[in-house]
């Protein structure tokens, strides 16, 4: 299962796993877009349209999975976003709520819904998409950085909680990835979003999907606990050497 599969890293992960021979449950808020992207994959894909912020609908979707789709081997908790880039004292309450409800509470909802089955079967893998922003705050990143720091702590805590089992837990921490991430962050301001990637060759969603598949395909006794993935000219969340 891949959450937030209609674009960016989520879409790339879903497509990468499908091409590797997995059957994939894809989730997203936009039913039409899910059908457009993944409909051609036919029986290898199950499409579920819901917002991870809506706990009742998310839990209902998992509870009502067809029998042949109920044993989820891999959960990619990808659904997440950044909104705004202002000093904390000028932040928008609505942006804060959306980030916290999606990046933290949505991830927890999906984890709570699916991991008990993995524990019962003594098999499974949770791959959480965090961020380099979770390692240290950067200017005006405040609440977004806090949500990704929470994802790291939640992932580390889950790894401890399932250590008695054969369930594996991985945290992927991407740096600068060119998706619609910045366009969403700047509320549709294309020019401002494009400027984020000027002077550097950023990562792509496919680069992060490669890392997710690598972790998933590791031998059963190998747990890729955490992976930080940066563009070549990016040193951390705030140091980027732009060329030209």
């Amino acid at each position: 299962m891949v959450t937030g599969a209609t674009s960016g890293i989520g879409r790339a992960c879903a497509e990468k796993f499908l091409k590797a021979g997995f059957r994939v449950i894809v989730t997203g808020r936009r039913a039409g877009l899910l059908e457009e992207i993944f409909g051609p994959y036919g029986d290898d894909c199950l499409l579920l349209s819901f917002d991870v912020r809506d706990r009742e609908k998310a839990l209902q979707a998992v509870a009502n999975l067809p029998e042949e789709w109920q044993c989820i081997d891999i959960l990619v908790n990808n659904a997440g976003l950044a909104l705004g880039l202002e000093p904390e004292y000028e932040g928008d309450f609505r942006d804060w709520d959306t980030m916290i409800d999606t990046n933290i509470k949505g991830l927890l909802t999906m984890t709570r819904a699916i991991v008990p089955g993995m524990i019962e079967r003594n098999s499974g893998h949770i791959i959480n998409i965090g961020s380099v922003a979770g390692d240290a705050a950067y200017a005006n990143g405040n609440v977004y950085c806090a949500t990704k720091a929470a994802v790291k702590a939640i992932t580390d805590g889950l790894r401890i909680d399932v250590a008695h089992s054969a369930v594996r837990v991985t945290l992927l921490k991407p740096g600068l990835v060119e998706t619609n991430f910045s366009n969403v962050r700047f509320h549709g301001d294309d020019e401002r979003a494009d400027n984020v990637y000027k002077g550097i060759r950023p990562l792509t969603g496919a680069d992060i999907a490669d890392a997710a598949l690598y972790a998933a395909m590791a031998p059963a006794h190998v747990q890729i606990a955490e992976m930080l993935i940066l563009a070549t000219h990016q040193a951390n969340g705030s140091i980027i050497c732009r060329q030209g």
Side-chain angles (χ1 to χ4, degrees):
M1 176 179 277
V2 180
T3 67
T6 54
S7 65
I9 293 171
R11 175 176 176 173
C13 284
E15 292 176 333
K16 185 74 67 173
F17 277 87
L18 282 162
K19 290 173 183 175
F22 288 85
R23 296 164 67 230
V24 180
I25 303 168
V26 291
T27 85
R29 293 179 293 112
R30 295 169 287 180
L33 193 51
L34 281 174
E35 178 62 38
E36 178 184 330
I37 297 168
F38 296 105
Y41 288 97
D43 293 341
D44 290 332
C45 245
L46 178 65
L47 282 54
L48 298 179
S49 180
F50 62 86
D51 189 330
V52 296
R53 293 179 296 169
D54 189 329
R55 182 170 293 158
E56 183 177 345
K57 287 188 178 179
L59 295 177
Q60 186 179 49
V62 173
N64 293 329
L65 283 170
E67 185 176 354
E68 65 271 23
W69 291 92
Q70 289 177 3
C71 294
I72 296 171
D73 300 296
I74 300 167
L75 169 64
V76 180
N77 271 318
N78 164 76
L81 76 169
L83 290 171
L85 193 67
E86 302 88 19
E88 189 171 323
Y89 56 85
E90 294 178 355
D92 186 304
F93 288 117
R94 292 167 298 181
D95 286 351
W96 292 356
D97 287 343
T98 299
M99 287 187 284
I100 292 168
D101 290 346
T102 306
N103 300 358
I104 302 176
K105 294 165 70 175
L107 179 146
L108 285 170
T109 294
M110 300 310 298
T111 300
R112 182 65 179 84
I114 291 167
V115 174
M118 293 181 174
I119 295 295
E120 184 178 345
R121 297 187 300 274
N122 195 36
S123 175
H125 195 163
I126 304 94
I127 301 175
N128 288 338
I129 306 299
S131 171
V132 63
D135 287 344
Y138 54 74
N140 300 329
N142 43 76
V143 174
Y144 173 69
C145 294
T147 65
K148 289 304 184 178
V151 169
K152 174 173 169 51
I154 289 166
T155 306
D156 290 345
L158 179 62
R159 194 179 303 109
I160 293 166
D161 292 342
V162 304
H164 66 284
S165 75
V167 175
R168 301 185 293 182
V169 182
T170 296
L171 175 65
L172 300 183
K173 302 189 300 185
L176 199 63
V177 184
E178 187 168 14
T179 63
N180 67 340
F181 175 90
S182 291
N183 185 274
V184 171
R185 163 169 260 175
F186 299 130
H187 300 282
D189 186 333
D190 293 332
E191 182 178 358
R192 193 175 179 194
D194 289 344
N195 284 335
V196 172
Y197 309 108
K198 281 189 175 178
I200 187 171
R201 181 177 178 182
L203 302 168
T204 67
D207 295 325
I208 310 308
D210 283 340
L213 185 62
Y214 171 79
M217 297 298 286
H221 70 288
V222 176
Q223 179 172 216
I224 308 299
E226 185 171 304
M227 195 183 305
L228 175 64
I229 310 146
L230 301 175
T232 297
H233 294 290
Q234 179 177 16
N236 56 33
S238 57
I239 303 300
I240 298 170
C241 184
R242 300 182 188 275
Q243 309 296 305

